[in-house]
Amino acid sequence: MLDERTNTAEPLVGDKVERQGCRRRLPPEERRAAVLTAALEVFVEMGFERATLQDVADRAGVTKGALYHYFDSKNELYLEVIRDRIAAQVQASQALVAAAEPSKSREELLRQLLEAMWHDMQQPGIMELIKLLMAELPKFPECGRAFFEELVVPARRPTRSALERGESPSERDDQLIDIVVAVLPTMLLGVGLSQGMFKGVDPIDFRSDQVGKVVIDILLQGALAALER
């Protein structure tokens, strides 16, 4: 039996009866959503390594047995929390590029993508999830690889499509495009993190929409200038 504090592939034992008055009975989809929300809260507060499935179950108001109905291990639950919060944003970016009019310029489309990224970063729980990823993923290479392959790689495709817009393959510097595609979201994220870090300390009360506009202008001009060298 593996310790749930590490791999958590612990078989279900002894979770047979819900404690009346302490557990909430919800439809399956609502229960699953409640578990994912509770898991995010617990992982953020305790860190992935210290958190247990029992902690998540208690926060969600379900038995640990209910967790095993949806997730085989803590690792799987952790990855599903990430997918639940980020996958929809990746799909929205892909749809934005797919629906773009042929007449839309590379600059216009790239601005739209950056604006969507910034907007997504401001949604409840997203920055907390990002901080959790930064703290925990380096400790668990398997989770890191899964996250990169399932979410980071697909997330880069819309930006690359925007940067390639209007150029023939012979005109493109694919390696340079790869660098720009990888750097843009991390630079945007850095600004978002610094905003949160100094909130309540910085005497200047920056509004997120104002900051977003400025940083997107800077990144957009820099990215396009780099590609035109």
Side-chain angles (χ1 to χ4, degrees):
M1 180 183 298
L2 297 177
D3 186 349
E4 125 181 355
R5 292 179 182 274
T6 53
N7 192 45
T8 69
E10 177 183 356
L12 177 60
V13 177
D15 279 314
K16 296 181 179 179
V17 182
E18 294 192 355
R19 290 178 288 176
Q20 293 184 353
C22 296
R23 306 294 184 184
R24 294 175 291 164
R25 295 186 180 277
L26 298 171
E29 284 307 307
E30 289 185 30
R31 175 176 288 186
R32 186 177 185 280
V35 167
L36 291 174
T37 298
L40 175 57
E41 294 173 357
V42 170
F43 290 149
V44 167
E45 290 174 15
M46 304 179 66
F48 176 79
E49 198 165 6
R50 286 182 55 231
T52 68
L53 290 181
Q54 189 63 61
D55 293 324
V56 175
D58 291 342
R59 180 69 60 92
V62 300
T63 63
K64 194 163 73 171
L67 297 188
Y68 279 105
H69 178 73
Y70 298 106
F71 310 103
D72 293 334
S73 69
K74 190 171 71 171
N75 284 359
E76 185 179 335
L77 174 58
Y78 178 60
L79 286 173
E80 192 57 32
V81 167
I82 299 169
R83 294 186 190 104
D84 182 66
R85 294 297 190 273
I86 297 179
Q89 298 171 3
V90 174
Q91 292 168 2
S93 294
Q94 293 171 336
L96 189 154
V97 171
E101 294 290 335
S103 59
K104 183 163 290 186
S105 70
R106 174 171 68 174
E107 181 175 351
E108 290 174 316
L109 186 54
L110 185 57
R111 180 180 292 279
Q112 279 189 287
L113 286 170
L114 291 173
E115 288 174 345
M117 287 181 202
W118 182 258
H119 176 267
D120 291 339
M121 287 179 191
Q122 310 308 311
Q123 300 311 298
I126 293 299
M127 294 309 294
E128 289 78 11
L129 177 60
I130 291 170
K131 292 174 187 175
L132 176 67
L133 291 172
M134 293 173 64
E136 302 293 349
L137 279 184
K139 304 174 188 175
F140 304 96
E142 184 177 345
C143 288
R145 280 192 294 271
F147 171 73
F148 185 83
E149 293 169 3
E150 293 181 28
L151 294 170
V152 175
V153 172
R156 288 178 175 178
R157 290 176 187 143
T159 306
R160 184 176 183 88
S161 295
L163 291 173
E164 292 176 346
R165 200 172 183 82
E167 292 191 345
S168 67
S170 61
E171 295 174 322
R172 296 197 301 258
D173 183 336
D174 287 337
Q175 187 175 37
L176 182 56
I177 290 176
D178 284 339
I179 294 171
V180 173
V181 166
V183 164
L184 280 177
T186 57
M187 295 181 75
L188 201 62
L189 176 59
V191 175
L193 287 170
S194 67
Q195 260 202 304
M197 185 185 305
F198 299 113
K199 188 174 183 179
V201 176
D202 194 324
I204 303 176
D205 185 17
F206 295 109
R207 284 191 0 228
S208 63
D209 58 334
Q210 294 174 318
V211 173
K213 185 179 185 308
V214 171
V215 71
I216 288 169
D217 284 344
I218 293 171
L219 291 179
L220 188 60
Q221 292 176 28
L224 295 178
L227 294 174
E228 290 169 1
R229 287 177 185 172

